Amino acid sequence: MNSTGGNGRPGRPARLSRERIAEAALQGDVATLTMRELATRLGVSHSSLYRWVPDRDGVLDLVSEVMVERVLPEDEPDAGTWLDWLTRLAWAMHDEFLAVPGYAAHVARPHRHHPESFGRLRGRAIAAFRAGGADAQQAEENWTVFGLAVVRWLAAAGNAPEEPPFGRYLDTLLRGLLHQDGDQRP
C-alpha cells in the first residue's frame, strides 16, 4: 500500500506543513532568516521549501498568522471589558513578540503586513475601542496610535533594556487615547 503524503501522489508522507515551517522560522532571528537557513532547520532542501511558500515574505506571513493567533484574546471586548481586553492584547504582544528575536523590529518596519492576520488584529482592536465608546473614525485613529506605539516600543526594547517599563508605558498610552467625544479618557 503506497502512502500518498497528502498530495495525491505516491511516495513518502509530506515532511513539511505550514505549521512546521512557521514553528521552525520562530526558532531564530526572523530579521536575518533566509530560506536556505530555514530549509536546514527543517531538514529539507530549499527547493522543497519553495513548494510550500513562494519566498521569505511568504514565510513571514506564516509567522504573522501564528503570532496574531497567539496574542489575540479569546473573548470579545465589550463596554465593560474593552480596556482590560486592550491591556491583555498589549501584554500578549509584549510577551510573544519579544520571545522571537527580530520579530518586533520586523513588524515595526514599513512593509506589507499579512492582510488576513493583521486585519483580524486590527478589526478586533477597533472593536475594543468602539466598545469603549469611540466612533468609527476615532476607533480607527486609536488603533493606529495604539498599534504603532506598542510595536515601536517593543522593537526598541528588543535592542535595549525596557525604559520606561512596559506597564507604565502602556498605562500612559491607554490613558491618552480619547473616547468618541474627546472628553472622556479610559
Side-chain angles (χ1 to χ4, degrees):
M1 177 178 193
N2 286 338
S3 169
T4 62
N7 60 11
R9 295 186 308 244
R12 291 189 315 195
R15 294 175 44 192
L16 290 178
S17 68
R18 294 171 58 83
E19 295 79 17
R20 194 160 170 251
I21 292 167
E23 285 303 317
L26 289 166
Q27 300 306 310
D29 188 335
V30 297
T32 60
L33 181 68
T34 66
M35 295 293 279
R36 192 171 301 277
E37 174 188 353
L38 182 57
T40 300
R41 283 185 204 165
L42 290 162
V44 300
S45 69
H46 71 283
S47 61
S48 294
L49 184 57
Y50 280 109
R51 290 185 195 120
W52 285 86
V53 287
D55 52 23
R56 184 175 182 276
D57 286 340
V59 171
L60 294 174
D61 284 349
L62 291 177
V63 168
S64 291
E65 287 176 27
V66 169
M67 296 302 279
V68 167
E69 193 61 36
R70 288 180 180 178
V71 302
L72 275 177
E74 291 184 18
D75 59 321
E76 294 295 326
D78 60 35
T81 64
W82 72 276
L83 187 56
D84 173 66
W85 190 95
L86 287 167
T87 300
R88 287 184 289 127
L89 171 64
W91 275 106
M93 290 169 71
H94 174 276
D95 296 346
E96 293 294 337
F97 287 19
L98 292 181
V100 178
Y103 187 73
H106 163 71
V107 173
R109 281 192 296 276
H111 70 286
R112 177 196 59 80
H113 291 284
H114 188 259
E116 289 175 29
S117 58
F118 279 97
R120 284 183 48 232
L121 178 62
R122 177 183 165 276
R124 299 271 306 276
I126 287 172
F129 286 114
R130 293 295 308 267
D135 66 25
Q137 180 180 345
Q138 186 67 47
E140 181 74 41
E141 291 170 2
N142 285 356
W143 156 249
T144 300
V145 170
F146 176 83
L148 287 173
V150 169
V151 167
R152 288 192 175 149
W153 188 97
L154 294 173
N159 298 322
E162 294 186 6
E163 289 294 330
F166 186 69
R168 182 173 181 198
Y169 179 82
L170 180 61
D171 183 57
T172 303
L173 172 65
L174 288 172
R175 288 179 189 277
L177 294 173
L178 301 176
H179 278 272
Q180 171 183 357
D181 62 5
D183 293 329
Q184 296 179 333
R185 295 178 184 266

